[in-house]
């Protein structure tokens, strides 16, 4: 009798588990194609952060400070940048020329705001290397202070970790500050670029 009860109980448990599994595996109802398109369409529309990008379009001069060692005076140089929005206001591109570490360079940066992830994504490439530097982060409610994190592989320092703050001070001034650390370097301020809009 006891054996029969145990067998029946085991059978019931197996059947219950099978029913639960079957329920879990029941395919979800497919989202209406039109509703899907509306979701993607809404996410593709430029928003407030993109309006801030548009306000930065124009010509800028740059004053750059670079720190090679903590506690020592920075190297200073000047340059210029042309900024414009791409793809109907969805991204901000800057094309810059100047000097870094005593060498002339040309660089291109593209910054976007992803409406889906609610994050800023920034890329930078220049004539001093073949890599693409990528950072991402979040911004203040008004979109005028953006904090970014990223990194890159360095032949001397190994994996470099960076964090940056990009501030839009006013309609004619931006400040970009970058900190970094590596195998031989503790976290230190490495760069500060002040952008001033060209007048006239």
């Amino acid at each position: 009798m006891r054996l029969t009860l145990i067998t029946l109980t085991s059978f019931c448990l197996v059947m219950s588990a099978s029913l639960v599994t079957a329920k879990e595996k029941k395919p979800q109802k497919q989202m209406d194609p039109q509703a899907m398109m509306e979701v993607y369409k809404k996410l593709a529309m430029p928003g407030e952060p993109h309006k801030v990008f548009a306000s930065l379009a124009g010509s800028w001069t740059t004053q750059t400070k670079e720190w090679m060692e903590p506690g020592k005076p920075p190297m200073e140089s000047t340059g210029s940048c042309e900024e414009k929005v791409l793809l109907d206001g969805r991204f901000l591109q800057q094309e810059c020329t100047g000097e870094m570490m005593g060498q002339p360079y040309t660089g291109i940066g593209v910054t976007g705001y992803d409406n889906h992830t609610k994050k800023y994504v920034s890329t930078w490439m220049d004539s001093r290397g073949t890599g693409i530097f990528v950072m991402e982060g979040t911004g203040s409610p008004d979109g005028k202070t953006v904090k970014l994190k990223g990194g890159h592989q360095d032949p001397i320092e190994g994996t470099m970790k960076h964090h940056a703050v990009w501030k839009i001070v006013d309609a004619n001034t931006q400040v970009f500050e970058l900190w970094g650390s590596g195998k031989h370097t503790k976290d230190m301020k490495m760069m500060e670029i002040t952008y001033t809009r060209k007048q006239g």
Side-chain angles (χ1 to χ4, degrees), residues 171-195:
N172 300 310
T173 312
Q174 307 174 55
V175 177
F176 179 82
E177 297 173 282
L178 177 72
W179 289 260
S181 62
K183 185 164 55 177
H184 305 109
T185 307
K186 291 183 178 181
D187 190 59
M188 60 171 280
K189 188 172 185 178
M190 305 181 80
M191 183 184 298
E192 179 181 302
I193 306 174
T194 300
Y195 298 75

Side-chain angles (χ1 to χ4, degrees), residues 17-163:
S18 299
L19 288 171
V20 169
T21 303
K23 278 186 178 180
E24 287 176 350
K25 288 184 178 179
K26 187 178 179 180
Q28 293 183 347
K29 186 179 179 181
Q30 185 69 29
M31 188 175 183
D32 177 67
Q34 185 60 38
M36 289 174 64
M37 289 303 296
E38 287 301 317
V39 171
Y40 288 119
K41 185 178 178 180
K42 184 177 179 181
L43 287 173
M45 294 300 293
E48 291 303 316
H50 306 94
K51 290 179 182 177
V52 176
F53 292 163
S55 73
L56 301 175
S59 301
W60 301 77
T61 59
T62 59
Q63 180 72 40
T64 300
K65 297 179 181 179
E66 293 180 274
W67 286 266
M68 305 305 294
E69 294 181 52
K72 291 194 175 181
M75 297 175 64
E76 298 192 36
S77 61
T78 59
S80 62
C81 291
E82 294 294 324
E83 301 197 1
K84 64 180 181 181
V85 290
L86 305 175
L87 301 175
D88 300 319
R90 291 175 173 83
F91 303 93
L92 176 69
Q93 175 185 289
Q94 58 173 276
E95 187 167 354
C96 305
T97 58
E99 281 191 5
M100 282 193 179
M101 299 175 65
Q103 298 295 318
Y105 80 95
T106 299
I108 296 174
V110 177
T111 301
Y113 178 79
D114 189 325
N115 287 331
H116 178 56
T117 63
K118 309 297 183 187
K119 287 186 176 182
Y120 290 83
V121 180
S122 175
T123 64
W124 174 261
M125 62 199 85
D126 62 47
S127 56
R128 300 175 304 156
T130 56
I132 300 176
F133 185 41
V134 181
M135 302 185 82
E136 70 171 32
T138 57
S140 59
D142 62 3
K144 293 185 177 181
T145 299
V146 178
K147 295 182 178 180
L148 301 162
K149 289 184 178 181
H152 75 281
Q153 293 300 315
D154 183 88
I156 308 299
E157 291 286 348
T159 301
M160 291 287 295
K161 295 182 179 180
H162 297 285
H163 56 102

